[in-house]
Each structure stands twice: as C-alpha cells, then as structure tokens.
Amino acid sequence: IGVLVTDSHRLRVSGSSFDGSKLEGVSFRGASRDNAVSSCTLRGPGHGVGVFRTSSVSVQSSNIQVTRAGILVDNEAQLLASQNTLHGCSSGISVQGKSTAQVTGNTCEGNSAGILIETDGTQAYVADNSCTSNSNNGITLQGRSSVAVQRNTCRQNGGGILITGAVTGEVNRNTLERNGNGLSIQDA
C-alpha cells in the first residue's frame, strides 16, 4: 500500500505518483471521513484507490492504470469520483456492498469493465462518463439499488449498459454506439 489512511478526517493526497503497490496505491479504511485524492497517478498490480468500511472519499482528476479495480468502494463507504482517467483495469470504477456513489465525468477506456455498480439497497448517480473499448460492459448495474444513469457515452464495449436484479431509478439521455448490446435489462 502506498498510503494507508485509517480513521482519519480531511486528509488530502494530491499531486503524487504511486507505482507498483500490490494492494492499493491509496487505501482508506475504518471511519475515515471527508478525505480526497486528486491529481495523482496510480499504476501497479493492485487497486488504484480502495475505500472500505464507512469511509467517505472523493477521487478527482487522477490517472489510474492498474491490474485490479481502478477505484474500489466496498462495505458502506461513500465515493465521489469525477474527472478521472482509468485504463487497463479489471474494472475502472467498482462500487460494492451497501456503498453509495456519485460517479461523474470519468473516462473508462480499455478495461475489462468500465463502471460496475454491485450494491445492496443503496444509491448511485452515474452521469457524464465516457466508457470506451472495455471488453465487457461500459456500465453494469447489479443487485438492489436506486440509480440515476444519465448522459453517459458507451462506445465500442462488449455491451453498453447492463441492468440486472432489482434496480430502480432512471436511465436516460445516454449515447450507446457500436457495443455488443446497447441497453440490456435482465431479471429486473
């Protein structure tokens, strides 16, 4: 781990480069609140930024190229991710568990999955993102969640937007071009 933050508040990590971290380049755990990662470069075999437990973090204007998830959020954490570039990751942005997320203005290109929301009864706002040339879906929404998916561009992915499970909310004004499937809804 490049930087490990546990139970800390208002910590800012900016303008830094992390290369080769096996777990996470920057990791937030415990009850860490109102922390931020901005204008960083993260590369390596692990996750770029990990947000766990009840932490709240914003990740902005960073360039992330890692083997695992670019940004991983799990277990009741809160994420604001905006204006990031995520390339070559297993998933550009992955939100899991009972986490909440606002994911806006990111570029997810050349990943296995672009944006993956696998939640259980939480909320996600996914807007104004560009998901291009991801081998699976540009955006995947799974589980039991309330979502707003608006004004995203999904182009040349294995699939554009996939919705499975008890997902409620709005999916509108998205541009879906040259994907395996445009909008796919299963078991909803």
Side-chain angles (χ1 to χ4, degrees), residues 111-161:
N111 304 295
S112 291
I115 298 169
L116 176 60
I117 310 288
E118 296 179 287
T119 61
D120 183 21
T122 58
Q123 298 179 1
Y125 178 70
V126 180
D128 304 308
N129 298 287
S130 174
C131 298
T132 305
S133 300
N134 298 291
S135 58
N136 292 312
N137 298 301
I139 299 171
T140 301
L141 309 165
Q142 296 181 158
R144 217 173 31 93
S145 56
S146 174
V147 299
V149 180
Q150 303 169 337
R151 300 178 309 276
N152 299 285
T153 299
C154 295
R155 185 176 287 127
Q156 295 178 322
N157 300 291
I161 298 174

Side-chain angles (χ1 to χ4, degrees), residues 24-29 47-52 57 70-74:
E24 295 95 30
V26 181
S27 182
F28 295 91
R29 298 170 188 250
H47 302 294
V49 177
V51 184
F52 304 99
V57 175
I71 300 171
L72 173 64
V73 184
D74 195 9

Side-chain angles (χ1 to χ4, degrees), residues 16-59:
S16 300
S17 181
F18 301 93
D19 198 355
S21 298
K22 292 181 181 177
L23 294 176
E24 295 95 30
V26 181
S27 182
F28 295 91
R29 298 170 188 250
S32 298
R33 290 274 178 223
D34 302 319
N35 295 299
V37 175
S38 65
S39 302
C40 289
T41 299
L42 300 109
R43 292 187 182 94
H47 302 294
V49 177
V51 184
F52 304 99
R53 306 247 158 89
T54 58
S55 296
S56 66
V57 175
S58 68
V59 182

